[in-house]
Amino acid sequence: MSAVTTDQRSVAPQRTSITRTRVFALPEVRWAAAALVLFLIALPLQLAGAPAWLRGPLYAAVYVAGGWEPGWAGLQALREKTLDVDLLMVVAALGAAAIGQVMDGGLLIVIFATSGALEALATARTQDSIRGLLDLTPSTATRLGPDGAEDVVPAEDLVVGDVVLVRPGELLAADGHVVDGASDVDQASITGEPLPAAKTIGDEVFAGTMNGAGVLRVEVSRDPHDSVVARIVAMVEEASETKAPTQLFIEKIEQRYSVGMVTVTVAVFLLPLLWGADLTGALLRAMTFMIVASPCAVVLATMPPLLSAIANAGRHGVLVKSAVVMEQLGRVEQVALDKTGTLTEGAPTVTDIRPATAGVSEHQLLAWAAAVEHASEHPLGRAVVEAARRDGVPLSPVEQFDATPGAGVAGVVDGAPTAVCSPARVDFALPDEVAAAVHDLEARGHTVVVVLRAGVPVGTIGIADRLRPDARAAVHQLAAVTAAPPMLVTGDNPAVAQHIGAQVGLTDIRAGLLPQHKVAAIRAAQADGRTVLAIGDGVNDAPALTAADIGVAMGRAGADLTLDAADAVVVRDELATVPAALVLSRRARRIVVQNLVIAAVFIGCLVLWDLLGTLPLPLGVLGHEGSTVIVGLNGLRMLRRSAWSASAD
């Protein structure tokens, strides 16, 4: 019998524990919460007719709590000769209070304070996740001296050429090459491969990956600060910065609007005075202009449909992190899909059982393999045992169990020596029938193990990462919605990628990619002028999700950094909800356009009335609030279940 074996025993890596910034540790959140609480106390008092001396101090506290930070920031911007909308809104709120509209000004303050708090919280969460990614690598490593002496040193002190000892279940501290030993290494955090990869002398390994049951000696080939994990962190930060041009564009629009509104308001106040108007009348006209020209209706024209669409998508398992993302989803022109955990379920499953000996059934072959694999911790072994349990196959006890890293597992089952191993580890020529089965399964992208009884091959078992049931339909829907076929970007081997791509109808397949290669593929599509949506689930997908215009994470098994780097999360791992969300976004954008037209007509008419005639303040307030109500109710139509149903069809 061949002493064949291998249990590439793998200790499953634990998800990195990320220390998150406490919500109320952020000053923006504390001030916004204080402003909101004070407003909710003052408003009922006003509606109940409480005296001004009672509600007035409360409203004043609202203005101070929610307005001092944006006001101070606006004053600092003025020193740089920049006028931003935050300061303008504070001035508008004070102007409203000056003409008796204290509650309207307070509401404006609360809205802007809350928006600033949410932005600060999102920034803190991203920074927390980037810091947490660095925890994928251990803080120490066992360095071997020339005489073999072991020395535990900080991981950052390793240099190129050092040899480190990696024991079973340990994380690798640096990128390098194996110089001695054999083991399996779970490198899903880097390449996205669902199964541990067998590593032996000469093979490359990466920092942050998990060693299996064997002992490895690894020669460091890169400085720890230049490891793949470190580069992932750098790429996430770099990709985040590439969004800055959009922010600069928004700031330019904000600057022009602010300057224009202030200029016109001052003119509305001063010009009548030059013609002899009284001070009170000129001030009233200017403050009325400030109110009716306020962008509240425009803001509400955009937010209700997008926020309603976010709520609707959330009910159906898609969490969109902001209204900006929901609006951008409707502009997607190209989709980049990861394989493992996105198109597939991310867990190995037995797909084929092929007996090769007369009188041996599939049931019997699975029973022998599961019996000897029962003591194994390798993912392939667990898949075989799970298949036996699912089919109700009883397991015989195993004796003399032996697992050799890089070789296989073996033992005595029902009185006969039994082994389960990779075809490459069999040290004799396989029978034609077995060899044909191995070739066929591997050509279809399966991992194959051979079962031997008393040294004789009795069959093969094919194991693969199972395709999601809705993957093919989702790919076709994405192609229809974006008018472009999605591309597959994966770290898995080309044979598996081609097989999966053929099953779901993909033709643009990029396989064997490290994180930086995925980012390059996405940026190439962006360079062609396309808006790119990336979908993934692993830590290795985080740079691609951040580099893309929109990143979507599969949430059930997604890594922390990926979930935080993503702009949207598919909570139930239903890939078909992604094209439905794209269509929902396009419906929301159409309603946004409708609302903007309504808001523009109302604001334009009211402003012209105030400038060319005499617009009574109550009528100006009524028109302003009326347009707000109309566009708000129109936007709430996106909350209806029919809005999602139409998107999913």
Side-chain angles (χ1 to χ4, degrees), residues 21-81:
T21 302
R22 291 181 296 109
V23 173
F24 282 96
L26 300 172
E28 296 89 347
V29 173
R30 294 197 299 269
W31 287 115
L36 178 61
V37 170
L38 290 167
F39 183 80
L40 293 177
I41 295 174
L43 182 60
L45 291 176
Q46 178 177 345
L47 297 178
W53 63 265
L54 180 59
R55 66 177 188 270
L58 290 172
Y59 276 124
V62 169
Y63 281 65
V64 172
W68 81 267
E69 277 195 325
W72 178 249
L75 291 175
Q76 289 180 315
L78 279 178
R79 296 176 59 184
E80 304 296 329
K81 298 181 180 181

Side-chain angles (χ1 to χ4, degrees), residues 6-244:
T6 207
D7 178 47
Q8 302 170 25
R9 231 178 250 205
S10 176
V11 179
Q14 296 180 346
R15 175 174 293 192
T16 303
S17 176
I18 295 178
T19 302
R20 293 185 178 274
T21 302
R22 291 181 296 109
V23 173
F24 282 96
L26 300 172
E28 296 89 347
V29 173
R30 294 197 299 269
W31 287 115
L36 178 61
V37 170
L38 290 167
F39 183 80
L40 293 177
I41 295 174
L43 182 60
L45 291 176
Q46 178 177 345
L47 297 178
W53 63 265
L54 180 59
R55 66 177 188 270
L58 290 172
Y59 276 124
V62 169
Y63 281 65
V64 172
W68 81 267
E69 277 195 325
W72 178 249
L75 291 175
Q76 289 180 315
L78 279 178
R79 296 176 59 184
E80 304 296 329
K81 298 181 180 181
T82 300
L83 184 63
D84 61 23
V85 168
D86 284 355
L87 180 61
L88 184 60
M89 289 303 98
V90 172
V91 172
L94 293 174
I99 59 174
Q101 303 297 321
V102 178
M103 187 271 287
D104 288 344
L107 179 60
L108 188 60
I109 289 290
V110 169
I111 291 174
F112 268 77
T114 302
S115 174
L118 292 175
E119 182 178 353
L121 182 60
T123 300
R125 285 289 183 260
T126 300
Q127 293 172 345
D128 291 342
S129 296
I130 293 174
R131 287 194 299 269
L133 177 57
L134 293 174
D135 293 336
L136 282 174
T137 55
S139 58
T140 61
T142 303
R143 184 168 59 192
L144 298 177
D147 58 352
E150 299 181 8
D151 183 20
V152 177
V153 299
E156 61 266 22
D157 290 349
L158 295 174
V159 297
V160 175
D162 281 347
V163 176
V164 296
L165 177 68
V166 187
R167 294 184 172 88
E170 289 186 345
L171 289 169
L172 276 73
D175 291 359
H177 292 84
V178 178
V179 294
D180 186 37
S183 183
D184 64 300
V185 176
D186 188 334
Q187 50 190 33
S189 61
I190 301 299
T191 67
E193 294 175 87
L195 304 177
K199 299 293 183 180
T200 187
I201 296 174
D203 290 338
E204 184 178 19
V205 291
F206 303 107
T209 56
M210 177 73 75
N211 186 27
V215 176
L216 296 176
R217 286 175 172 79
V218 176
E219 181 178 342
V220 177
S221 60
R222 292 191 189 95
D223 186 280
H225 299 290
D226 192 39
S227 69
V228 172
V229 169
R231 292 203 302 271
I232 289 177
V233 175
M235 282 188 292
V236 170
E237 293 174 334
E238 179 186 351
S240 297
E241 293 173 359
T242 61
K243 297 180 187 286

